[in-house]
Amino acid sequence: MFHSGFGLAYKTSYVIGVYSAILSLFLLAEIVVRTVFREPLPQLGDVKSR
């Protein structure tokens, strides 16, 4: 995309692509951890036993 679309050198566009892929994977993992693996909020009247 960067090589053909923006006219950057192949090496530069490859490096940008690799770094953006790594960053997007970290962001995706953070989103999954914060949404899927969160504890449900306690409901009114729920009592935790110790």
Side-chain angles (χ1 to χ4, degrees), residues 1-21:
M1 181 171 108
F2 291 108
H3 178 65
S4 299
F6 296 115
L8 292 175
Y10 179 77
K11 187 175 180 180
T12 305
S13 63
Y14 188 84
V15 170
I16 292 171
V18 169
Y19 283 132
S20 63

Side-chain angles (χ1 to χ4, degrees), residues 21-49:
I22 292 170
L23 181 63
S24 65
L25 288 174
F26 277 123
L27 290 175
L28 180 64
E30 187 68 26
I31 291 169
V32 168
V33 166
R34 288 181 183 260
T35 58
V36 175
F37 297 113
R38 68 178 181 174
E39 293 183 18
L41 296 174
Q43 300 296 320
L44 188 62
D46 286 349
V47 178
K48 276 189 167 179
S49 61

